[in-house]
């Protein structure tokens, strides 16, 4: 038979050479890199497609769950044999990789502030999305609560020093905007209900007026244009406050008038 | 190193020597040529010459891809895997011979199957080699492969699993189904 001689002669004659080991290493590296690129690319593209298409929640869920199930079945069957068999069952394994990655990518993209996560969350009966109006209401109530705490304790509002707010034009602007209108009215009503609170409030307003007068005097001394520009909103804010405090005083009882008379000089000058 | 020493070495120990000198490859060819030719014939090679040509191609493929051999495998298992792939290529090219095994192989198979405890109780003793050949030919390829590897080549479940690239549990299931199908097929051919 001499098959060995035949084979060796053929190898010699046709100059057949064995493939070097590094070639197989490179081949494995290349194939694995292809897997990774395919996995990442398709995951991102699938997520982007779903994102841009504004897909219905049910449809998107259906695809994601379907892909995951399919990938789980196919990947398990491919993986349990051996890693080399992954190339043989390449299609199944690729579906497994890509679908799992797609589902993950979709979840990541949805979790951004794109609103898609809301679609899913609203399907959960416990969860209820909050409208912007409700958020505003919630915030205004929170501010009121803070305001009450400040009045009772005499502490600062949200950690900002009252004197600082009076002198800093930016803060006074914000403070004036917030406190004007409803907040002040509500505050008034609450003060009417509680006598103690009323007294504290009046004391505070008088203190503030005295402080304002002092500061006005200081500002008048300054001739710098910049300072004047900066003090404009501050003055406006103070005027508003005084008007509101004047309104309060009109509504209030005779006790308030006695306070007015105490600080009468300053108020008369302003008027 | 003398000829006697080389013959004592295992297959896995001979492989690094082939990378140094290709003449050492002759040792492995001599060890496996008969088994590989027999396996190829059982898998459907139509003649002795075809089987030898196929065996030659198999050994050349082994030589070319010798650096991709993994140490955790047995050389014989790896060799049978390459031989199987060669047979599949042959089946693709020659579809008419795909289901046939040689009469010689069917006689060998008949002797083995008669001694098999599970089958010997049920099968009639009067079956001929031709009956076995027809029955094997009528089986799907995957069961035919299993019967050849398990009963004719006497490979273990682990080896079959590596050759066919299937889990061992699947190999067990395939062997059981192959037995049942073969028995049914041979009984049908007798009727």
């Amino acid at each position: 038979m001499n098959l060995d001689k035949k084979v060796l002669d053929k190898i010699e004659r046709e100059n057949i050479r064995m493939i070097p080991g590094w070639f197989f290493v490179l081949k494995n590296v290349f194939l694995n890199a292809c897997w990774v690129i395919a996995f990442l690319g398709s995951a991102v593209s699938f997520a982007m497609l779903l994102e841009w298409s504004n897909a219905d929640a049910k449809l998107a869920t259906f695809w994601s769950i379907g892909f995951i199930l399919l990938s789980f079945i196919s990947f398990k069957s491919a993986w349990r044999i051996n890693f080399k068999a992954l190339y043989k069952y390449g299609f199944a394994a690729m579906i497994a990789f890509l679908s799992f990655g797609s589902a993950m990518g979709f979840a990541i993209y949805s979790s951004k502030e794109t609103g898609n996560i809301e679609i899913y969350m609203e399907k959960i009966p416990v969860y209820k999305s909050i409208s912007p109006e409700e958020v505003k209401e919630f915030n205004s109530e929170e501010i009121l609560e803070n305001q009450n705490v400040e009045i009772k304790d005499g502490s600062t509002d949200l950690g900002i020093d009252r004197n600082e707010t009076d002198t800093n034009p930016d803060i006074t602007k914000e403070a004036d905007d917030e406190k004007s209108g409803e907040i002040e009215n509500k505050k008034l009503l609450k003060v009417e209900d509680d006598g103690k609170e009323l007294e504290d409030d009046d004391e505070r307003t008088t203190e503030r007026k005295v402080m304002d007068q002092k500061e006005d005097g200081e500002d008048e001394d300054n001739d710098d244009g910049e300072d004047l520009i900066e003090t404009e909103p501050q003055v406006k804010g103070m005027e508003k406050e005084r008007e509101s405090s004047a309104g309060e005083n009109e509504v209030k009882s005779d006790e308030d008038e006695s306070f007015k008379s105490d600080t009468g000089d300053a108020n008369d000058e302003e008027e | 190193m003398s000829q006697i020493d080389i013959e004592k070495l295992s297959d896995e120990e001979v492989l690094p020597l082939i990378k140094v000198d290709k003449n050492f490859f002759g040792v492995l060819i001599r060890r496996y040529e008969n088994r590989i030719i027999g396996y190829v014939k059982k898998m459907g090679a139509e003649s002795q010459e075809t089987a030898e040509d196929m065996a030659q191609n198999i050994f050349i493929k082994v030589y070319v891809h010798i650096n991709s051999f993994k140490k955790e495998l047995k050389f014989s298992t790896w060799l049978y895997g390459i031989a199987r792939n060669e047979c599949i290529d042959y089946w693709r090219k020659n579809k008419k011979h795909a289901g046939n095994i040689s009469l010689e192989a069917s006689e060998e198979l008949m002797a083995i199957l008669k001694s098999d405890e599970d089958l010997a109780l049920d099968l009639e003793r009067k079956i001929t080699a031709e009956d076995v050949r027809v029955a094997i030919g009528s089986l799907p390829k995957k069961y035919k492969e299993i019967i050849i590897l398990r009963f004719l080549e006497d490979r273990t479940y682990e080896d079959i699993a590596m050759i066919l690239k299937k889990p061992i549990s699947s190999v067990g299931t395939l062997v059981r189904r192959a037995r049942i199908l073969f028995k049914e097929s041979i009984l049908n051919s007798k009727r």
Side-chain angles (χ1 to χ4, degrees), chain B residues 109-117 119-121 123-128:
Chain B
L109 182 63
M110 189 179 67
I112 292 163
L113 292 174
K114 276 185 178 176
S115 63
D116 189 88
E117 286 181 9
L119 290 167
L121 295 171
L123 288 175
E124 293 180 40
R125 298 282 174 171
K126 290 176 183 175
I127 55 169
T128 59

Side-chain angles (χ1 to χ4, degrees), chain B residues 3-188:
Chain B
Q3 187 71 23
I4 299 163
D5 292 330
I6 292 166
E7 293 298 332
K8 282 179 183 175
L9 292 174
S10 67
D11 299 337
E12 290 76 20
E13 286 169 335
V14 173
L15 282 173
L17 300 174
I18 296 167
K19 292 173 191 176
V20 179
D21 185 358
K22 62 174 175 278
N23 290 320
F24 286 110
F25 190 49
V27 178
L28 289 181
I29 294 170
R30 280 195 294 278
R31 283 181 192 177
Y32 286 99
E33 63 181 324
N34 289 332
R35 277 196 264 176
I36 291 296
I37 289 168
Y39 174 70
V40 166
K41 280 167 81 176
K42 286 162 202 163
M43 290 287 278
E46 58 190 75
S47 63
Q48 178 69 24
E49 288 75 28
T50 311
E52 281 181 22
D53 287 344
M54 285 172 73
Q56 192 176 324
N57 288 338
I58 289 162
F59 283 114
I60 286 170
K61 279 184 181 174
V62 166
Y63 178 77
V64 169
H65 293 92
I66 209 157
N67 282 318
S68 69
F69 174 73
K70 288 171 186 168
K71 288 173 185 174
E72 61 264 22
L73 290 174
K74 275 165 69 181
F75 175 75
S76 62
T77 307
W78 185 60
L79 179 62
Y80 269 91
I82 292 171
R84 178 179 172 260
N85 290 338
E86 184 69 20
C87 291
I88 290 167
D89 287 344
Y90 178 76
W91 286 347
R92 282 181 190 148
K93 287 172 191 168
N94 305 282
K95 285 183 182 175
K96 63 178 181 179
H97 298 293
N100 298 337
I101 62 168
S102 63
L103 199 64
E104 185 188 339
S106 59
E107 279 173 359
E108 190 185 342
L109 182 63
M110 189 179 67
I112 292 163
L113 292 174
K114 276 185 178 176
S115 63
D116 189 88
E117 286 181 9
D118 295 335
L119 290 167
L121 295 171
D122 299 324
L123 288 175
E124 293 180 40
R125 298 282 174 171
K126 290 176 183 175
I127 55 169
T128 59
E130 182 61 24
D131 296 333
V132 172
R133 201 176 69 85
V134 171
I136 287 281
S138 67
L139 287 178
K141 279 179 196 170
K142 61 178 178 180
Y143 296 122
K144 187 183 156 191
E145 266 187 325
I146 284 281
I147 283 179
I148 290 166
L149 286 169
R150 181 76 190 108
F151 298 108
L152 294 175
E153 297 297 322
D154 200 25
R155 307 300 300 187
T156 62
Y157 278 28
E158 287 80 10
D159 287 350
I160 295 169
M162 297 297 269
I163 292 164
L164 301 180
K165 291 171 185 169
K166 286 182 188 297
I168 295 172
S169 56
S170 298
V171 171
T173 311
L174 281 171
V175 169
R176 189 169 50 81
R177 284 182 192 163
R179 268 181 177 159
I180 293 164
L181 278 172
F182 177 72
K183 195 168 75 176
E184 284 174 2
S185 175
I186 211 161
L187 289 172
N188 287 337

Side-chain angles (χ1 to χ4, degrees), chain A residues 31-68:
Chain A
L31 287 171
N32 289 328
C34 286
W35 280 111
V36 171
I37 289 163
F39 164 66
L40 291 176
S42 61
V44 171
S45 59
F46 181 69
M48 294 290 280
L49 276 173
L50 278 177
E51 176 67 24
W52 289 335
S53 64
N54 286 325
D56 180 51
K58 281 183 183 174
L59 188 70
T61 313
F62 170 77
W63 278 114
S64 297
I65 292 171
F67 272 132
I68 287 167

Side-chain angles (χ1 to χ4, degrees), chain A:
Chain A
M1 195 173 286
N2 294 328
L3 187 66
D4 57 333
K5 282 182 184 174
K6 280 185 188 176
V7 171
L8 289 172
D9 285 347
K10 194 176 180 182
I11 289 168
E12 189 74 44
R13 193 174 58 250
E14 295 182 11
N15 197 21
I16 296 166
R17 290 182 183 182
M18 53 181 81
I19 298 168
W22 57 262
F23 176 82
F24 296 104
V25 174
L26 269 182
K27 187 184 158 190
N28 283 335
V29 168
F30 176 74
L31 287 171
N32 289 328
C34 286
W35 280 111
V36 171
I37 289 163
F39 164 66
L40 291 176
S42 61
V44 171
S45 59
F46 181 69
M48 294 290 280
L49 276 173
L50 278 177
E51 176 67 24
W52 289 335
S53 64
N54 286 325
D56 180 51
K58 281 183 183 174
L59 188 70
T61 313
F62 170 77
W63 278 114
S64 297
I65 292 171
F67 272 132
I68 287 167
L69 283 174
L70 188 67
S71 64
F72 181 74
I73 294 161
S74 56
F75 188 69
K76 200 184 166 194
S77 62
W79 185 260
R80 70 181 177 181
I81 300 162
N82 56 36
F83 187 71
K84 200 177 176 184
L86 275 176
Y87 301 116
K88 187 183 173 187
Y89 298 94
F91 182 69
M94 187 173 272
I95 289 171
F97 269 123
L98 302 190
S99 51
F100 184 70
S102 302
M104 289 292 287
F106 179 61
I108 291 161
Y109 267 80
S110 300
S111 65
K112 287 186 177 177
E113 292 176 1
T114 53
N116 272 7
I117 196 73
E118 291 287 318
I119 298 167
Y120 286 99
M121 293 297 281
E122 281 175 359
K123 300 286 173 192
I124 302 164
V126 178
Y127 176 81
K128 190 191 169 190
S129 60
I130 303 167
S131 65
E133 288 78 17
E134 285 174 324
V135 172
K136 274 184 183 175
E137 273 181 32
F138 178 78
N139 287 338
S140 63
E141 281 170 12
E142 200 175 28
I143 290 162
L144 264 178
E145 281 172 10
N146 289 331
Q147 195 72 22
N148 290 335
V149 168
E150 180 202 332
I151 291 159
K152 282 174 185 172
D153 301 343
S155 59
T156 54
D157 185 12
L158 297 169
I160 301 163
D161 190 13
R162 173 61 64 188
N163 294 328
E164 189 188 331
T165 56
D166 288 343
T167 51
N168 191 343
D170 296 332
I171 298 170
T172 48
K173 237 185 177 181
E174 287 172 11
D176 289 335
D177 292 341
E178 284 175 3
K179 284 164 192 168
S180 62
E182 288 181 10
I183 299 170
E184 282 294 325
N185 290 335
K186 284 180 183 176
K187 191 174 154 187
L188 260 176
L189 288 169
K190 285 190 178 179
V191 169
E192 278 175 7
D193 292 340
D194 194 346
K196 282 183 180 178
E197 280 185 10
L198 186 71
E199 283 173 14
D200 292 340
D201 194 25
D202 289 337
E203 282 172 13
R204 187 160 180 76
T205 49
T206 49
E207 281 173 14
R208 284 180 66 185
K209 280 169 189 171
V210 172
M211 288 289 288
D212 292 341
Q213 282 169 4
K214 283 180 182 175
E215 284 164 12
D216 286 344
E218 286 173 10
D219 290 335
E220 280 171 10
D221 296 338
N222 291 330
D223 294 326
D224 294 334
E226 288 179 1
D227 290 338
L228 283 170
I229 292 161
E230 282 178 8
T231 50
E232 269 182 17
Q234 184 188 347
V235 172
K236 281 181 184 174
M238 284 190 294
E239 279 172 4
K240 275 186 182 177
E241 208 167 272
R242 278 164 203 156
E243 280 169 15
S244 64
S245 65
E248 286 172 27
N249 292 335
E250 282 170 14
V251 176
K252 286 168 197 171
S253 62
D254 297 333
E255 288 175 12
D256 300 333
E257 288 173 8
S258 65
F259 281 109
K260 262 189 181 178
S261 62
D262 292 340
T263 57
D265 297 333
N267 286 331
D268 290 341
E269 280 176 13
E270 286 173 5
E271 284 167 3

